[in-house]
Amino acid sequence: MEKIAIFGTGYVGLVTGVCLARVGNNVICVDVDRTKIAKLQEGNCPIYEPQLKEYLRQMIKVGRILFITDAEFAIKNSDIIMIAVGTPPMEDGSADLKYVLQVAQTIGTHINGYKVIVTKSTVPPGTGRKVNAKIAYAVQKAADYDDGAWDVVSNPEFLKEGSAVNDFLKPDRIIIGTDSERARVKMESLYRPFMRSGYKVIFMSRISAEVTKYAANTMLASRISLMNEIARVSEGVGADIEEIRQGIGSDSRIGKQFLYAGPGYGGSCFPKDVVALEDSAERVGANPILLKAINETNIYQRTFFAQKIKSFYNDDLRGKIFAVWGLAFKADTDDVRESPAIMILETLLQCGAHVAAYDPEAITNFSAFTEIGKHKSLRYEDEQYATLRGADALIILTEWPRFRAPDLDSIASILKYPVIFDARNLLDPQEMAGKNFSYISVGRPDVLIK
Ligand code: NAD
């Protein structure tokens, strides 16, 4: 049993805290957001993530997790301190380390004995050194420090939103970047409960661990961007990207995952991490030609899909009404950060269209945290078929399971015209043709009913 403090109760910090408590540790979660902490203290989960709410309530009930804003208490009563605060992009694309370094400063001010300080946030190479320096500086100024040692370890997080709890409990691998034997032993023992099916820790230098996180996200993002580019070729020459996906995914060197063409990747990680790695590459003169292209083709893909909708209406969307299914950046999450829906809805609404939108979990975030979510011509519905009333077409933007086998007869009878734009290729073009729908998807020939 370890005593752990976690700074930041977002997707990473909260999932980490709940999962570490679940295997028997005592966890103190700290956040500067008082509203969030008050919610959590009452067992209310501020984010949607499968299984999280149930586990959170269990852990509160057995008293193994505590939610507070008192950083000093958390630091003094823990042996492992995890930093899981945000690292948003700055204007130049580099990661903003303000929150990470604020936490480091607080740790240095209140540290009262040996601690392993773990950076879980995604941070640029060299951040471990900065965190260490910040702590050292604060320690010098603080009066009550009584032991001269701490270790700063990099332990990037690889969970996926939508299956975060499962990913944390059953990780593919655990990366630990440190050259301290003392920290190494502590971290290995912390993660032992998650390695019942086999040893999963990969130790490396702290700076390699920092780069590994960016490299993993960039690799995955590159697959999506490449597939989207091939989808555009495919569409142009009359091929079907879904057939091509099957054809290449069955090659064991390529594999099946992250090969779906769509409206481009979104979320709080891929977009910012690709650009942050590009920034790190620029700083050391590594000429990031490919990194730039991954990001550019992703942005282009959103424009491309929005343009397909516009082209269908001869570039005149004035007065058109669209039903939109899906606002989250992907299925099974309420996260709308960098969601392709933002840019696509911006295009539609700015061109004079009206939108009725539905998402199983993301409406609150979309209406609260995006500018376009407050547009006067956008209304929200709490049931997916209710969006269809009076609409000229349905647009599917997120691959939620409930959108994958919709009642096509109902859709046809409620929509003004049987037209579907499907940014996720959820439906079958042949079936759509058979049901007399015009059906426009990604990287596949359009089905156009005259
Ligand atoms: P988030 O924005 O959901 O949460 C961050 C939290 O940190 C917020 O609640 C904020 O109030 C809190 N915070 C800010 N400053 C603080 C301070 N000084 N003390 C205590 N709390 C503070 O962020 P997230 O999505 O959980 O991401 C956190 C980090 O993990 C980022 O670096 C991200 O890139 C990385 N990451 C995210 C994911 C993901 O899927 N979301 C996956 C892997 C890694």
Side-chain angles (χ1 to χ4, degrees), residues 20 63 84 87 127 187 201 211 231 235 284-285 309 311 341 369 386 392 402 405:
L20 287 173
T87 45
T127 302
M187 292 301 287
V201 175
V211 179
E235 213 167 299
V284 294
I309 301 173
S311 301
F369 300 125
D392 291 271
R402 71 185 67 186

Side-chain angles (χ1 to χ4, degrees), residues 69 146 175 226 281 285:
T69 52
D146 58 12
I175 302 287
L226 187 55

